[in-house]
Every structure is written in C-alpha cells, then in structure tokens.
Amino acid sequence: MASVPSLASSVNQRVADALASALPEAGAADPLLRRSDRADFQANGILALAKKAKANPRELATSVVGSIPTGGDTDVIKEIEVSGPGFLNITVADRAIIETLAARAGDDRLGVPLAAKPGTTVIDYAQPNVAKEMHVGHLRSAVIGAAMVEILEFTGEKVIRRHHIGDWGTQFGMLIQYLLEHPHELDHKSDQEVSGEEAMSNLNRLYKASRTLFDSDEEFKTRARARVVDLQAGEPETLALWQRFVDESKIYFYSVFNKLDMDIQDPDVVGESGYNDMLVETCKLLEDSGVAVRSNGALCVFFDDVKGQDGNPTPLIVQKSDGGFGYAATDLSAIRDRVGKLGATELIYVVDARQSLHFKMVFETARRAGWLNDEVKAVQLAFGTVLGKDGKPFKTREGETVRLVDLLDEAVERATAVVREKAEKVGLTEAEIVENGQYVGIGAVKYADLSTSAARDYKFDLDQMVSLNGDTSVYLQYAYARIKSILRKAGDRKPAAHPELELAPAERALGLHLDHFGELIAEAAAEHAPHKLAAYLYQLSSLFTTFYDQCPVIKPEPELVVGENRLFLCELTARTLSKGMSLLGIRTPEKL
C-alpha cells in the first residue's frame, strides 16, 4: 500500500518552496492553490504575502516564477505565468498526470493516504423505536450515518457504531401489561423464520389494542402505570416481557435495514436501556460538581443563552421532580460510556436538526462536567426534513407518515422497470434484472439523500431518483456499467499507461479529477460531508461522458498506444467510481 502525492500537493510544494526563497521573512507561506478554468491551477497567496511584506505583488510573483523549474522531462509543471495583479496560472505536464495516475492504479487504495493521526469515532445513527414502525424520517439517519462510517473507516479511523434505539419509557407499562393479560399476542404463526412484516403487524396490532384499552379503562390504566414502576425496578417477569418487545422489534428493524442493504450487528444496538445502571451516578456527579442544581425538585442545568418565550431561562432537565429520568440523563450517561469505556476521541450524532437545541445543551453540560474537552469532541450531524414533491413534509394522501418499507419497495419496483427496458440489449437474465432492480432502486434512494447537504431539506421524488438523466445514482451506475462494457469489448487490447503521449483536453480534465479523489475523501471525512463525495462522483461520470464522446477508445480504433492509454483512463475511472459509490453504500452492477 503506497499513498500517492496528488498533483495539487506537488505543485503546492514547489510554489511554497519558491515563495520561501523569494521572501524568506514570510516563513512557511500558503500559496492558496485551487483549480482554475484559466489553467490547471491558480495560486492566489502572493497578494496577501506581498501586502504583509510591503512588496509589489506582481514583482514578487515574477521572481517566484523565475525560481520554479518548468518544462523539463522530470518537471511536474509544464508552464507557469503571472496573471493580473499577481496570480499564478499553472499548467501541469501531461506526463506528470499519467505517471501520477499510474501510481494510483498500482495501489489497492487508489493511492489514497490514511489519516496521519487516526482516532476513535463513535457514530450514533439509525435509531428506530421499539414497537413502532420505521418511517421516512428514519431513512436519513441510517443512510447518512452508514456513509460516514464507511468514509471514516477508509481514512483509517477506528469507528464504533451505536444504534441508540428507543427501548425504554412509560409507554412500555401499557404494552407489557396488555401482553401479560393477553399472553399469545406476540406468538408467531409457525416455527419458520418470521418475516419483518409479520413481526411489525403483531406489534402494531398489540400497540393499537393496548392504547384503546388504556384510553377507555381506568383500571387497566392504573395497572399499566404500576407496571412502569416494576419495569424501572427491574422486576424479572416484567423485564422478560419487555425483552420480547425488543426481540420482536429487532426482527422487523433488521428486515428493513436488510432492504436498505445495510449491515447492522446486534452488539452495536445499545438502546436507551443500555445506560440505566449509570443514570443515578450521572446525576450525582453533575449535582456534586455543581454543574446541575435542584430547581422545583428537578435536577437542572441552566445556560445564559437558552431562554424560553417568556424570557426566563430554559434548563436541561436531567432528573424530573418525581425522580424519573429524561432523555438528557440517558444521553449524558451515553457520553460517559462512549468516552470512558470505548475511548472515543470524537462522537458524531446523526440526528434530526429539530433536536439541535437539546444536543447543544447536552454537549455543553458534558463539557462543564469534564467528559468532553479539547481532546474529545462531540458534534451533531444534523439533517433536514424529507419533503414531498409539493415541498411540504412527506405524508401519504391520507396525511399519514410514510412507512419506510412501502417507500423502499416502490423504489425497487420503479427501478426494476427501468432496468427491464434495457435488459435485452445488454443480455440480462431475469435473476440479474431482479438483483439490479434492487441495487438501482435502493441506490437511488440513498443517493438522493446523500447528494443533498445533510442540513438541507430535500424533496422525495421517485420519478427523478430513478431517472437515467441528471444527478442520480442510476446515471453513475450506468457510467460504471458502460466502462465495464468498453473494457470487455476491447478484447485483446489491454489498459496501459503511456506518459509519453500528449493528452487531449477531455483526457486532461478526466485525469486531473481522478487525481483529486484522495483529497476529496479527506475533506468529506473532516467536514462530515458525504454530499461532497456524491458531487465528486457525479462530476467524474460527467467528465467521463465528455471524454468518451471526444476521444475514441474502441471505434474508430485509435493508434495502439493511444488506445491503451485511454483504456487505462477508463479502468481507473471505473475503479474510482466503484470505490466512491461503495463508500456511500451503493452497489455498482457490472452490466446494466
């Protein structure tokens, strides 16, 4: 495994060295290099440096250019010119592009370096509630979280997954009491493996029946409330019945995650109940240290900048006046556990933006208590709402919340129809049509989510998602399958890098973008921004389309070395696409 320095970093280094020798007093100066439409790169850092050193920027730029070797057989830079008040326009050598890409192609990781100082990140994502159906709102947490896990692991970070399922609380008193009085309600029809649908319909039926009874029968309501006390006290029979709800719900959760092509392992599912033993101690530590104070009997943490509409401070309530614990006690205990036992250096919470104030207060409380500090940080990767085509929160025609299962099934159905239309042309079997339909449908749903910045709301439009045109995963999957088809058609001709060749503009544009993959991954990891990876891959597919239209690869057959070099660019594009898509949790079928 060898990390390959990108062309941008090589150019940056040469300009920085020249700046340091032209202006030694500036020390290590940043050339502020960026991609440019006037040349391959533009360096803008000279203006600020010249101002600081009271020098003429254009003269300084000219002396910098004079000390950078260009145009030779071993030089990365082909030419460099001073533009405007002191910008540098830099063009890299064709040979340097192909040599760098050849080094990337020779490495399993495409030359992408591992992080210099990897830490341990705990990602809290995909948090469904026990005995409740998953809806479209659960989609974003699962999809964004899973992509961040893959991206961070690829950079060398140790990632621990945590699914903080809602498996505790007063509603369980009602459910457990009902099951106690109707013991066969969660029984399975047969000894065969139970489907997620059957598990959920059992839970739904029981939930509705117990809710109706709770609302209409005062005696049942009293028994249910007493059952909550038993649950919190850990009474064995009550806990055993509670466990049945958790187990039944997991059958359903895992079936949905399976549809989403996501791997969720049992040890990673640590629900609210997983921190019960820590709650009393968490409250004691907060109260003893003075971080939390008693107010009207409740244990509260106050903040100068958090006030209600009446202008009075709104506290974070860690323990209620009746002795019950709120979400804050659980979330703070989870922080203690993740930092103390799991050794986390970063905590990422993939949670709806509407909970931002809660997490801001929880994180600040943990900082005051010393559980978070400069070495251990916590961030909320907040996401927006899923909207319907009308721009309003996504609901069914009846105004109900959309079931996640229905939505995924419909996406696969639509995608299968799209795949079937072209199936004969590429010779797909019925089994391949069905499999590709799943990959395209689920990929479409994930990509629509991941190609939008997490913080923004996005419109859920299946017609657009499974379209072959525009910024969709199907467009990327077809680009990949098309390259695979090109490589098959090449027959005896094999991909090979030829640094001695002059490159066409479309070849250069594709090559420079391929070289940017490693820097892009580092950026997406550092900023928790999977949408940047999605944007990179879409641009890669677009640049490939232009390249294929302008530079013949198979027909008309180019000269041998030119053809080999173009096949090399095709192959590296396919590998980069496939790697990038897999980091987003999207499959790339070989034939489409």
Side-chain angles (χ1 to χ4, degrees):
M1 189 191 78
S3 75
V4 177
S6 68
L7 290 162
S9 66
S10 301
V11 168
N12 200 65
Q13 191 59 56
R14 281 161 179 74
V15 177
D17 291 347
L19 265 172
S21 62
L23 203 66
E25 62 271 30
D30 185 354
L32 297 180
L33 195 74
R34 61 178 181 83
R35 289 296 304 275
S36 163
D37 29 6
R38 297 219 170 88
D40 295 332
F41 297 101
Q42 189 174 64
N44 301 338
I46 288 175
L47 297 178
L49 276 174
K51 194 174 176 187
K52 209 166 154 190
K54 297 190 171 46
N56 177 316
R58 209 174 154 87
E59 281 173 18
L60 177 59
T62 308
S63 72
V64 166
V65 169
S67 64
I68 295 177
T70 58
D73 283 348
T74 57
D75 296 330
V76 171
I77 297 172
K78 182 183 175 186
E79 57 187 355
I80 180 166
E81 58 170 29
V82 179
S83 145
F87 300 127
L88 300 183
N89 285 341
I90 301 160
T91 304
V92 295
D94 289 352
R95 181 192 39 71
I97 294 175
I98 296 299
E99 281 177 354
T100 302
L101 295 183
R104 293 200 178 288
D107 177 54
D108 286 347
R109 291 175 51 83
L110 300 168
V112 176
L114 292 164
K117 289 182 182 168
T120 298
T121 297
V122 176
I123 302 192
D124 186 327
Y125 69 107
Q127 312 107 340
N129 292 313
V130 165
K132 284 193 182 162
E133 206 143 9
M134 288 175 73
H135 55 77
V136 69
H138 290 115
L139 179 69
R140 299 210 72 184
S141 175
V143 169
I144 295 165
M148 276 318 306
V149 167
E150 295 298 330
I151 291 168
L152 285 170
E153 283 191 333
F154 187 56
T155 68
E157 185 78 2
K158 179 185 175 186
V159 179
I160 299 171
R161 301 152 171 82
R162 276 292 172 267
H163 309 295
H164 191 85
I165 63 171
D167 66 354
W168 203 249
T170 52
Q171 77 277 16
F172 282 100
M174 172 182 92
L175 294 169
I176 292 166
Q177 189 60 36
Y178 189 87
L179 186 59
L180 194 70
E181 295 172 17
H182 305 79
H184 299 296
E185 282 297 301
L186 287 184
D187 291 357
H188 297 144
K189 289 179 194 145
S190 70
D191 297 336
Q192 308 297 299
E193 196 174 329
V194 186
S195 70
E197 282 290 315
E198 188 192 328
M200 196 64 239
S201 79
N202 278 346
L203 290 163
N204 266 340
R205 193 180 60 248
L206 195 149
Y207 188 87
K208 283 177 184 154
S210 64
R211 169 54 72 187
T212 305
L213 198 58
F214 187 85
D215 290 343
S216 62
D217 183 333
E218 282 303 319
E219 287 180 4
F220 176 76
K221 187 182 276 190
T222 305
R223 293 197 298 278
R225 287 190 168 145
R227 188 61 56 188
V228 176
V229 178
D230 292 340
L231 178 65
Q232 288 173 339
E235 192 273 315
E237 186 188 21
T238 305
L239 272 185
L241 289 167
W242 166 80
Q243 190 63 49
R244 284 193 67 187
F245 283 98
V246 175
D247 293 343
E248 194 76 5
S249 299
K250 279 184 177 177
I251 295 172
Y252 163 70
F253 296 156
Y254 293 165
S255 74
V256 179
F257 290 127
N258 204 26
K259 264 186 209 280
L260 264 172
D261 198 11
M262 274 175 58
D263 181 31
I264 299 243
Q265 299 289 335
D266 223 37
D268 302 333
V269 180
V270 183
E272 293 165 359
S273 65
Y275 306 100
N276 284 349
D277 294 349
M278 300 175 71
L279 301 178
V280 172
E281 190 184 16
T282 295
C283 291
K284 187 175 180 345
L285 289 168
L286 290 171
E287 193 168 8
D288 289 353
S289 63
V291 172
V293 293
R294 291 280 165 190
S295 174
N296 299 327
L299 187 62
C300 303
V301 182
F302 288 93
F303 309 86
D304 293 340
D305 58 345
V306 184
K307 292 184 170 64
Q309 288 170 330
D310 56 4
N312 292 328
T314 303
L316 180 71
I317 299 172
V318 186
Q319 189 178 22
K320 300 174 209 162
S321 53
D322 65 3
F325 299 102
Y327 289 127
T330 307
D331 286 334
L332 287 161
S333 299
I335 290 175
R336 284 178 55 214
D337 179 71
R338 291 164 185 186
V339 175
K341 285 195 193 137
L342 303 178
T345 48
E346 181 170 45
L347 306 174
I348 301 176
Y349 290 77
V350 189
V351 184
D352 191 315
R354 287 170 291 198
Q355 295 188 42
S356 292
L357 178 59
H358 169 77
F359 279 102
K360 181 184 166 191
M361 291 159 83
V362 165
F363 296 160
E364 176 54 31
T365 300
R367 263 191 290 277
R368 290 180 190 175
W371 305 327
L372 295 175
N373 50 43
D374 292 345
E375 275 71 58
V376 187
K377 58 181 193 290
V379 288
Q380 182 191 358
L381 208 178
F383 56 81
T385 308
V386 181
L387 307 174
K389 286 187 198 180
D390 57 2
K392 294 178 181 155
F394 198 32
K395 301 271 193 232
T396 62
R397 286 200 182 93
E398 296 74 44
E400 301 280 319
T401 310
V402 179
R403 294 170 72 221
L404 185 49
V405 177
D406 294 344
L407 189 129
L408 298 177
D409 287 346
E410 192 184 343
V412 169
E413 204 177 299
R414 298 270 191 101
T416 307
V418 171
V419 172
R420 197 176 288 285
E421 271 172 39
K422 290 184 177 274
E424 206 174 317
K425 195 174 161 193
V426 288
L428 294 180
T429 64
E430 182 59 28
E432 286 173 324
I433 292 170
V434 170
E435 185 176 56
N436 285 356
Q438 285 180 318
Y439 293 162
V440 171
I442 297 303
V445 170
K446 288 182 177 180
Y447 186 83
D449 193 317
L450 294 168
S451 57
T452 309
S453 163
R456 288 176 49 200
D457 299 343
Y458 83 98
K459 283 187 187 173
F460 197 95
D461 180 350
L462 271 179
D463 294 328
Q464 172 54 34
M465 287 179 190
V466 297
S467 162
L468 299 177
N469 305 313
D471 189 1
T472 65
S473 71
V474 196
Y475 175 68
L476 307 188
Q477 286 167 322
Y478 265 103
Y480 177 80
R482 186 183 189 187
I483 299 172
K484 286 303 204 180
S485 165
I486 293 164
L487 293 168
R488 285 193 295 272
K489 284 178 186 160
D492 295 340
R493 283 174 293 158
K494 293 286 175 261
H498 288 282
E500 72 281 4
L501 293 174
E502 197 174 309
L503 299 177
E507 291 174 304
R508 299 185 96 257
L510 178 62
L512 286 165
H513 193 67
L514 282 167
D515 185 51
H516 183 53
F517 184 57
E519 287 160 330
L520 187 281
I521 292 288
E523 200 177 304
E527 296 174 21
H528 308 138
H531 70 280
K532 292 200 164 182
L533 175 55
Y536 170 89
L537 296 170
Y538 175 61
Q539 200 182 347
L540 180 61
S541 301
S542 305
L543 288 167
F544 177 80
T545 302
T546 306
F547 153 77
Y548 191 64
D549 290 347
Q550 294 179 5
C551 305
V553 179
I554 305 287
K555 287 179 184 170
E557 192 172 321
E559 189 189 329
L560 181 65
V561 288
V562 173
E564 286 179 345
N565 200 58
R566 286 176 183 169
L567 283 170
F568 162 74
L569 287 171
C570 288
E571 188 176 63
L572 189 58
T573 301
R575 282 179 60 194
T576 307
L577 260 179
S578 180
K579 184 72 224 174
M581 296 282 271
S582 79
L583 295 178
L584 297 179
I586 299 172
R587 306 262 186 164
T588 40
E590 302 277 310
K591 282 185 191 174
L592 257 186

